[in-house]
Amino acid sequence: MTFVLDSSALFSMEDLPSDDIAVPPGVVDELRRYNDPRVERWGDLLRVSECTERSVSKVKDAAMRSGDAGRLSDVDVSVIALAVDLNGIVLTDDFSIQNVCKIMGIEYRSVATEGIKKVEKWNYKCNGCGKWFKEKQNDCPICGSSMKAHRKR
Ligand SMILES: [Zn+2]
């Protein structure tokens, strides 16, 4: 059984399920962008795999029909497309991704239903000005520096 994980699933998990885990490169990039400590810990366990353009178009068509297109990032689309290519199960807590999976007949599960221990909360600290944020930010909204993920205690 192959699970394909989206960023929301990966960000919320304390441990990985003991199955084959595949992710598109974009998902790993997101973890790296936050200097997430789990990248080091999980690096060897994640199978990073590119999806085919053919599957990307199929997913975009389905998202257009369902009205989810505007709510899906390119990375989200590549997660679903990779599940098509690998015949995998999408692991996500994102409702738009789940909806497109449903329409396309792709099996999906939420992180909670898999019984995976979730991380309580993560906070994000700017590497430049040192300000803390509750929500995930691509770059610091104040000074534009990169962010680092910290587990809330
Ligand atoms: Zn800053």
mmCIF file of all heavy atoms in Angstrom, residues 109-136:
data_model
loop_
_atom_site.group_PDB
_atom_site.id
_atom_site.type_symbol
_atom_site.label_atom_id
_atom_site.label_comp_id
_atom_site.label_asym_id
_atom_site.label_seq_id
_atom_site.Cartn_x
_atom_site.Cartn_y
_atom_site.Cartn_z
ATOM 1 N N ARG A 109 -7.751 9.140 2.688
ATOM 2 C CA ARG A 109 -8.018 9.035 4.117
ATOM 3 C C ARG A 109 -7.525 10.294 4.797
ATOM 4 O O ARG A 109 -6.612 10.954 4.310
ATOM 5 C CB ARG A 109 -7.297 7.835 4.710
ATOM 6 C CG ARG A 109 -7.806 6.545 4.113
ATOM 7 C CD ARG A 109 -7.273 5.358 4.816
ATOM 8 N NE ARG A 109 -7.543 4.171 3.998
ATOM 9 C CZ ARG A 109 -6.870 3.044 4.088
ATOM 10 N NH1 ARG A 109 -5.893 2.944 4.954
ATOM 11 N NH2 ARG A 109 -7.166 2.024 3.329
ATOM 12 N N SER A 110 -8.145 10.605 5.933
ATOM 13 C CA SER A 110 -7.641 11.743 6.701
ATOM 14 C C SER A 110 -6.637 11.224 7.721
ATOM 15 O O SER A 110 -6.637 10.048 8.057
ATOM 16 C CB SER A 110 -8.785 12.498 7.373
ATOM 17 O OG SER A 110 -9.372 11.686 8.358
ATOM 18 N N VAL A 111 -5.793 12.119 8.184
ATOM 19 C CA VAL A 111 -4.723 11.732 9.109
ATOM 20 C C VAL A 111 -5.322 11.105 10.371
ATOM 21 O O VAL A 111 -4.837 10.089 10.868
ATOM 22 C CB VAL A 111 -3.857 12.961 9.467
ATOM 23 C CG1 VAL A 111 -2.839 12.610 10.542
ATOM 24 C CG2 VAL A 111 -3.156 13.476 8.220
ATOM 25 N N ALA A 112 -6.431 11.681 10.863
ATOM 26 C CA ALA A 112 -7.043 11.192 12.095
ATOM 27 C C ALA A 112 -7.533 9.747 11.948
ATOM 28 O O ALA A 112 -7.323 8.930 12.841
ATOM 29 C CB ALA A 112 -8.200 12.094 12.493
ATOM 30 N N THR A 113 -8.148 9.422 10.823
ATOM 31 C CA THR A 113 -8.706 8.078 10.662
ATOM 32 C C THR A 113 -7.622 7.024 10.548
ATOM 33 O O THR A 113 -7.874 5.854 10.780
ATOM 34 C CB THR A 113 -9.615 7.960 9.414
ATOM 35 O OG1 THR A 113 -8.860 8.348 8.270
ATOM 36 C CG2 THR A 113 -10.841 8.809 9.525
ATOM 37 N N GLU A 114 -6.415 7.410 10.200
ATOM 38 C CA GLU A 114 -5.328 6.447 10.121
ATOM 39 C C GLU A 114 -4.710 6.175 11.493
ATOM 40 O O GLU A 114 -3.807 5.372 11.623
ATOM 41 C CB GLU A 114 -4.244 6.942 9.150
ATOM 42 C CG GLU A 114 -4.479 6.533 7.709
ATOM 43 C CD GLU A 114 -4.689 5.021 7.570
ATOM 44 O OE1 GLU A 114 -3.753 4.274 7.849
ATOM 45 O OE2 GLU A 114 -5.789 4.594 7.196
ATOM 46 N N GLY A 115 -5.207 6.884 12.514
ATOM 47 C CA GLY A 115 -4.704 6.669 13.861
ATOM 48 C C GLY A 115 -3.277 7.143 14.053
ATOM 49 O O GLY A 115 -2.565 6.658 14.916
ATOM 50 N N ILE A 116 -2.872 8.090 13.223
ATOM 51 C CA ILE A 116 -1.512 8.613 13.333
ATOM 52 C C ILE A 116 -1.506 9.716 14.384
ATOM 53 O O ILE A 116 -2.397 10.561 14.416
ATOM 54 C CB ILE A 116 -1.038 9.157 11.972
ATOM 55 C CG1 ILE A 116 -0.960 8.011 10.979
ATOM 56 C CG2 ILE A 116 0.299 9.863 12.110
ATOM 57 C CD1 ILE A 116 -1.128 8.445 9.557
ATOM 58 N N LYS A 117 -0.506 9.671 15.233
ATOM 59 C CA LYS A 117 -0.408 10.689 16.275
ATOM 60 C C LYS A 117 -0.124 12.044 15.647
ATOM 61 O O LYS A 117 0.811 12.194 14.875
ATOM 62 C CB LYS A 117 0.710 10.318 17.240
ATOM 63 C CG LYS A 117 0.670 11.090 18.521
ATOM 64 C CD LYS A 117 1.670 10.527 19.515
ATOM 65 C CE LYS A 117 1.897 11.529 20.613
ATOM 66 N NZ LYS A 117 3.302 11.629 20.985
ATOM 67 N N LYS A 118 -0.991 12.992 15.998
ATOM 68 C CA LYS A 118 -0.804 14.328 15.444
ATOM 69 C C LYS A 118 0.016 15.190 16.385
ATOM 70 O O LYS A 118 -0.079 15.051 17.603
ATOM 71 C CB LYS A 118 -2.161 14.999 15.224
ATOM 72 C CG LYS A 118 -2.902 14.489 13.999
ATOM 73 C CD LYS A 118 -4.194 15.238 13.835
ATOM 74 C CE LYS A 118 -4.241 15.909 12.497
ATOM 75 N NZ LYS A 118 -5.416 16.748 12.298
ATOM 76 N N VAL A 119 0.770 16.062 15.804
ATOM 77 C CA VAL A 119 1.520 17.028 16.591
ATOM 78 C C VAL A 119 0.521 18.023 17.154
ATOM 79 O O VAL A 119 -0.424 18.416 16.480
ATOM 80 C CB VAL A 119 2.534 17.773 15.695
ATOM 81 C CG1 VAL A 119 3.177 18.898 16.455
ATOM 82 C CG2 VAL A 119 3.573 16.811 15.183
ATOM 83 N N GLU A 120 0.691 18.382 18.421
ATOM 84 C CA GLU A 120 -0.251 19.307 19.035
ATOM 85 C C GLU A 120 -0.353 20.599 18.251
ATOM 86 O O GLU A 120 -1.386 20.953 17.739
ATOM 87 C CB GLU A 120 0.187 19.614 20.467
ATOM 88 C CG GLU A 120 -0.061 18.471 21.431
ATOM 89 C CD GLU A 120 -1.520 18.052 21.446
ATOM 90 O OE1 GLU A 120 -2.360 18.950 21.602
ATOM 91 O OE2 GLU A 120 -1.813 16.854 21.296
ATOM 92 N N LYS A 121 0.711 21.279 18.134
ATOM 93 C CA LYS A 121 0.701 22.572 17.445
ATOM 94 C C LYS A 121 2.112 22.920 17.018
ATOM 95 O O LYS A 121 3.067 22.583 17.704
ATOM 96 C CB LYS A 121 0.208 23.667 18.411
ATOM 97 C CG LYS A 121 -1.241 24.027 18.245
ATOM 98 C CD LYS A 121 -1.392 25.053 17.134
ATOM 99 C CE LYS A 121 -2.826 25.520 17.040
ATOM 100 N NZ LYS A 121 -3.389 25.453 15.732
ATOM 101 N N TRP A 122 2.199 23.604 15.919
ATOM 102 C CA TRP A 122 3.492 24.124 15.504
ATOM 103 C C TRP A 122 3.399 25.631 15.454
ATOM 104 O O TRP A 122 2.358 26.188 15.123
ATOM 105 C CB TRP A 122 3.869 23.600 14.114
ATOM 106 C CG TRP A 122 4.214 22.163 14.133
ATOM 107 C CD1 TRP A 122 3.310 21.130 14.133
ATOM 108 C CD2 TRP A 122 5.508 21.574 14.170
ATOM 109 N NE1 TRP A 122 3.993 19.937 14.173
ATOM 110 C CE2 TRP A 122 5.321 20.177 14.193
ATOM 111 C CE3 TRP A 122 6.792 22.102 14.194
ATOM 112 C CZ2 TRP A 122 6.403 19.294 14.231
ATOM 113 C CZ3 TRP A 122 7.862 21.224 14.227
ATOM 114 C CH2 TRP A 122 7.671 19.832 14.255
ATOM 115 N N ASN A 123 4.473 26.266 15.837
ATOM 116 C CA ASN A 123 4.576 27.708 15.680
ATOM 117 C C ASN A 123 5.714 27.982 14.712
ATOM 118 O O ASN A 123 6.573 27.131 14.512
ATOM 119 C CB ASN A 123 4.857 28.387 17.014
ATOM 120 C CG ASN A 123 3.604 28.503 17.852
ATOM 121 O OD1 ASN A 123 2.495 28.496 17.328
ATOM 122 N ND2 ASN A 123 3.771 28.591 19.156
ATOM 123 N N TYR A 124 5.704 29.151 14.164
ATOM 124 C CA TYR A 124 6.687 29.485 13.139
ATOM 125 C C TYR A 124 7.417 30.750 13.524
ATOM 126 O O TYR A 124 6.794 31.758 13.838
ATOM 127 C CB TYR A 124 5.991 29.605 11.783
ATOM 128 C CG TYR A 124 5.244 28.335 11.465
ATOM 129 C CD1 TYR A 124 3.923 28.168 11.827
ATOM 130 C CD2 TYR A 124 5.911 27.266 10.875
ATOM 131 C CE1 TYR A 124 3.256 26.968 11.598
ATOM 132 C CE2 TYR A 124 5.263 26.066 10.638
ATOM 133 C CZ TYR A 124 3.934 25.924 11.006
ATOM 134 O OH TYR A 124 3.303 24.728 10.789
ATOM 135 N N LYS A 125 8.741 30.650 13.520
ATOM 136 C CA LYS A 125 9.543 31.797 13.938
ATOM 137 C C LYS A 125 10.353 32.310 12.761
ATOM 138 O O LYS A 125 10.943 31.524 12.000
ATOM 139 C CB LYS A 125 10.482 31.370 15.071
ATOM 140 C CG LYS A 125 11.201 32.535 15.723
ATOM 141 C CD LYS A 125 12.217 32.053 16.750
ATOM 142 C CE LYS A 125 12.828 33.244 17.479
ATOM 143 N NZ LYS A 125 13.979 32.836 18.279
ATOM 144 N N CYS A 126 10.392 33.627 12.636
ATOM 145 C CA CYS A 126 11.164 34.242 11.563
ATOM 146 C C CYS A 126 12.658 34.123 11.875
ATOM 147 O O CYS A 126 13.096 34.400 12.994
ATOM 148 C CB CYS A 126 10.768 35.707 11.424
ATOM 149 S SG CYS A 126 11.848 36.601 10.294
ATOM 150 N N ASN A 127 13.447 33.706 10.883
ATOM 151 C CA ASN A 127 14.897 33.612 11.060
ATOM 152 C C ASN A 127 15.566 34.988 11.073
ATOM 153 O O ASN A 127 16.701 35.122 11.499
ATOM 154 C CB ASN A 127 15.516 32.778 9.935
ATOM 155 C CG ASN A 127 15.178 31.306 10.099
ATOM 156 O OD1 ASN A 127 15.118 30.783 11.202
ATOM 157 N ND2 ASN A 127 14.937 30.638 8.980
ATOM 158 N N GLY A 128 14.853 35.990 10.567
ATOM 159 C CA GLY A 128 15.421 37.335 10.503
ATOM 160 C C GLY A 128 15.084 38.146 11.738
ATOM 161 O O GLY A 128 15.917 38.325 12.630
ATOM 162 N N CYS A 129 13.825 38.593 11.842
ATOM 163 C CA CYS A 129 13.443 39.505 12.922
ATOM 164 C C CYS A 129 13.026 38.760 14.189
ATOM 165 O O CYS A 129 12.842 39.372 15.232
ATOM 166 C CB CYS A 129 12.331 40.455 12.467
ATOM 167 S SG CYS A 129 10.744 39.657 12.140
ATOM 168 N N GLY A 130 12.851 37.434 14.109
ATOM 169 C CA GLY A 130 12.580 36.653 15.309
ATOM 170 C C GLY A 130 11.138 36.658 15.773
ATOM 171 O O GLY A 130 10.806 36.111 16.815
ATOM 172 N N LYS A 131 10.242 37.247 14.982
ATOM 173 C CA LYS A 131 8.835 37.281 15.378
ATOM 174 C C LYS A 131 8.194 35.898 15.216
ATOM 175 O O LYS A 131 8.534 35.156 14.316
ATOM 176 C CB LYS A 131 8.097 38.321 14.528
ATOM 177 C CG LYS A 131 6.705 38.608 15.055
ATOM 178 C CD LYS A 131 6.154 39.892 14.477
ATOM 179 C CE LYS A 131 4.674 40.124 14.802
ATOM 180 N NZ LYS A 131 4.106 39.424 15.918
ATOM 181 N N TRP A 132 7.263 35.567 16.135
ATOM 182 C CA TRP A 132 6.566 34.279 16.099
ATOM 183 C C TRP A 132 5.220 34.405 15.399
ATOM 184 O O TRP A 132 4.546 35.421 15.530
ATOM 185 C CB TRP A 132 6.321 33.777 17.521
ATOM 186 C CG TRP A 132 7.549 33.307 18.208
ATOM 187 C CD1 TRP A 132 8.419 34.078 18.926
ATOM 188 C CD2 TRP A 132 8.066 31.977 18.235
ATOM 189 N NE1 TRP A 132 9.442 33.290 19.398
ATOM 190 C CE2 TRP A 132 9.252 32.001 19.004
ATOM 191 C CE3 TRP A 132 7.634 30.767 17.686
ATOM 192 C CZ2 TRP A 132 10.008 30.856 19.229
ATOM 193 C CZ3 TRP A 132 8.388 29.628 17.922
ATOM 194 C CH2 TRP A 132 9.565 29.673 18.680
ATOM 195 N N PHE A 133 4.840 33.356 14.698
ATOM 196 C CA PHE A 133 3.531 33.319 14.049
ATOM 197 C C PHE A 133 2.850 31.998 14.361
ATOM 198 O O PHE A 133 3.504 30.960 14.456
ATOM 199 C CB PHE A 133 3.678 33.459 12.531
ATOM 200 C CG PHE A 133 4.288 34.757 12.114
ATOM 201 C CD1 PHE A 133 5.662 34.871 11.989
ATOM 202 C CD2 PHE A 133 3.499 35.868 11.880
ATOM 203 C CE1 PHE A 133 6.248 36.077 11.625
ATOM 204 C CE2 PHE A 133 4.074 37.080 11.522
ATOM 205 C CZ PHE A 133 5.443 37.190 11.385
ATOM 206 N N LYS A 134 1.519 32.059 14.515
ATOM 207 C CA LYS A 134 0.758 30.835 14.746
ATOM 208 C C LYS A 134 0.514 30.107 13.434
ATOM 209 O O LYS A 134 0.493 28.886 13.378
ATOM 210 C CB LYS A 134 -0.593 31.176 15.382
ATOM 211 C CG LYS A 134 -0.493 31.573 16.841
ATOM 212 C CD LYS A 134 -1.863 31.432 17.494
ATOM 213 C CE LYS A 134 -1.806 31.679 18.984
ATOM 214 N NZ LYS A 134 -1.659 33.104 19.325
ATOM 215 N N GLU A 135 0.294 30.880 12.379
ATOM 216 C CA GLU A 135 -0.024 30.286 11.081
ATOM 217 C C GLU A 135 1.243 30.124 10.262
ATOM 218 O O GLU A 135 2.181 30.888 10.384
ATOM 219 C CB GLU A 135 -1.005 31.181 10.314
ATOM 220 C CG GLU A 135 -2.336 31.377 11.003
ATOM 221 C CD GLU A 135 -3.089 30.079 11.206
ATOM 222 O OE1 GLU A 135 -3.069 29.236 10.279
ATOM 223 O OE2 GLU A 135 -3.677 29.873 12.281
ATOM 224 N N LYS A 136 1.209 29.137 9.394
ATOM 225 C CA LYS A 136 2.306 28.881 8.485
ATOM 226 C C LYS A 136 2.425 30.048 7.495
ATOM 227 O O LYS A 136 1.434 30.488 6.941
ATOM 228 C CB LYS A 136 1.978 27.599 7.718
ATOM 229 C CG LYS A 136 3.120 26.938 7.056
ATOM 230 C CD LYS A 136 2.853 25.429 6.960
ATOM 231 C CE LYS A 136 1.725 25.049 6.015
ATOM 232 N NZ LYS A 136 2.099 25.114 4.611
#
